[in-house]
Amino acid sequence: MSLKALQEAMGALLLQPEGAQVLQDDAQWQDFLKQDSSKALKRLSRTRLVLYEELLLNTVQDTLGRIHPYCRTVLEDLLGIDWLATADAYRRQHPNPSFQLHNAVSEFSAFLAAAYGKAQPSKPSAKMTASIMQNLHGAVRQFPFLPELARYEWLEVVVCQEPDQKASPTLQPDIPLDVHRLDRVRPYWNPHLRLQQFDYPIPAIISLISETPPAALKTSLAHVQPEPAQILIYRDPATLKARYFQLNPASAALLIKLINLSLPGKQPYLWQLRNLKQQEPLFRDIPDTAFYPQALQMLVHCQQAGILLGSLPAESPL
């Protein structure tokens, strides 16, 4: 019995929608063994495989709930959808792509988005899987913000799990408070951040779920309307926890350009701001006397929030 053959046979049982029925029914188990040309499972105990499947499912269920607590509140507490069945349907359609446990639930947002479009799973399924997909289809149709809520929750995990980056010994933990001194240093942005566009006001939805009494929550969430939002999700360098920073369109455009300009070179703040003002139509007509102080104010705010970690020596003054 080769390792590859064993893995393929166990994968058919533990990951495919029909696997649960095969393991629970002795007749189907015997039929499955007859069809297993590799004979890889002949010496394995069905009872042990059932226990292993339960352990695998409970692990996915627990991880899914820890990473997506707000989605779970809506699906399980508010709508009464079986969370264990949701986890089972998810893991069978999105097998874990890596050995890291948290990555086992990395596709939950895509899973919910697919449920919005169709009530049947994308892969052949057992009746139980088809039933839960119909329930999820109804849930995401009722609350279409759920895939984006799952994406936000996953991004919090992403920024917290990224490996640390050693800061330069020349890093200064502050930025100049005078526009005219911005020509000698360059920004050092928090390396653990994601700027994302959402079609729904995710922070407001999270506040509703956290603060609204259960009896009124369904009504409150039913009134949520699409509202585009630019949200910066990042790891707080002090607490090492995920935080968010919601931006208006002008701030988002400024921040995206500044971060992108900072990546390839070592030009000072002032060079980056001048370059941005010349290239970006949104800022081109703003007087210098207004643009630079406002940009500096935003940089200070970012530094206070832990998005901008300080300054490094520039390659050369302007």
Side-chain angles (χ1 to χ4, degrees), residues 103-176:
N103 278 330
V105 298
S106 62
E107 299 295 325
F108 191 59
S109 175
F111 173 73
L112 292 178
Y116 180 89
K118 50 189 175 184
Q120 296 297 326
S122 57
K123 298 181 180 180
S125 67
K127 290 182 179 179
M128 184 179 70
T129 304
S131 175
I132 190 63
M133 291 307 296
Q134 290 173 358
N135 292 338
L136 291 171
H137 173 74
V140 183
R141 286 282 180 173
Q142 184 175 357
F143 298 122
F145 57 78
L146 279 168
E148 286 201 342
L149 179 60
R151 176 158 62 96
Y152 173 87
E153 291 179 305
W154 171 246
L155 286 170
E156 285 195 337
V157 173
V158 170
V159 298
C160 287
Q161 293 290 335
E162 287 179 334
D164 293 332
Q165 293 189 21
K166 188 175 182 180
S168 168
T170 60
L171 176 65
Q172 304 169 22
D174 54 14
I175 61 174

Side-chain angles (χ1 to χ4, degrees), residues 44-306:
L44 294 181
S45 164
R46 178 165 66 95
T47 302
R48 290 183 178 181
L49 284 172
V50 169
L51 292 174
Y52 183 74
E53 186 200 31
E54 291 178 356
L55 176 63
L56 180 65
L57 176 56
N58 287 330
T59 300
V60 173
Q61 174 197 218
D62 181 64
T63 305
L64 200 63
R66 289 176 182 272
I67 291 177
H68 298 284
Y70 300 112
C71 285
R72 181 173 186 173
T73 295
V74 175
L75 293 173
E76 183 178 45
D77 299 344
L78 196 60
L79 299 177
I81 295 177
D82 190 317
W83 188 250
L84 184 64
T86 299
D88 187 45
Y90 168 77
R91 77 179 177 90
R92 292 182 183 279
Q93 295 189 55
H94 295 274
N96 190 357
S98 81
F99 292 104
Q100 294 178 311
L101 183 59
H102 68 273
N103 278 330
V105 298
S106 62
E107 299 295 325
F108 191 59
S109 175
F111 173 73
L112 292 178
Y116 180 89
K118 50 189 175 184
Q120 296 297 326
S122 57
K123 298 181 180 180
S125 67
K127 290 182 179 179
M128 184 179 70
T129 304
S131 175
I132 190 63
M133 291 307 296
Q134 290 173 358
N135 292 338
L136 291 171
H137 173 74
V140 183
R141 286 282 180 173
Q142 184 175 357
F143 298 122
F145 57 78
L146 279 168
E148 286 201 342
L149 179 60
R151 176 158 62 96
Y152 173 87
E153 291 179 305
W154 171 246
L155 286 170
E156 285 195 337
V157 173
V158 170
V159 298
C160 287
Q161 293 290 335
E162 287 179 334
D164 293 332
Q165 293 189 21
K166 188 175 182 180
S168 168
T170 60
L171 176 65
Q172 304 169 22
D174 54 14
I175 61 174
L177 299 181
D178 184 343
V179 171
H180 300 291
R181 295 178 58 207
L182 293 175
D183 63 345
R184 297 184 180 277
V185 289
R186 58 189 171 95
Y188 178 69
W189 298 98
N190 187 327
H192 311 293
L193 55 81
R194 297 289 189 282
L195 184 56
Q196 295 282 312
Q197 169 74 44
F198 292 90
D199 294 327
Y200 285 87
I202 298 300
I205 291 170
I206 290 175
S207 295
L208 280 176
I209 296 172
S210 301
E211 300 169 9
T212 306
L217 182 55
K218 184 181 287 189
T219 301
S220 298
L221 291 178
H223 289 109
V224 171
Q225 296 297 317
E227 182 182 317
Q230 292 270 11
I231 302 175
L232 186 69
I233 306 161
Y234 66 101
R235 187 168 81 193
D236 188 316
T239 65
L240 302 183
K241 294 181 179 180
R243 294 180 60 186
Y244 74 87
F245 192 69
Q246 189 161 351
L247 304 164
N248 60 42
S251 296
L254 180 62
L255 203 55
I256 292 172
K257 295 290 185 180
L258 283 177
I259 293 175
N260 288 339
L261 283 171
S262 299
L263 295 179
K266 300 181 179 180
Q267 294 84 3
Y269 287 98
L270 197 54
W271 179 91
Q272 295 184 23
L273 290 172
R274 284 177 178 170
N275 186 285
L276 177 61
K277 190 174 185 302
Q278 292 171 0
Q279 296 182 5
E280 182 61 49
L282 185 63
F283 306 121
R284 195 174 296 154
D285 296 330
I286 300 177
D288 288 358
T289 53
F291 173 76
Y292 290 108
Q294 289 175 12
L296 178 58
Q297 184 179 16
M298 192 200 72
L299 291 172
V300 170
H301 195 171
C302 288
Q303 191 267 335
Q304 293 171 342

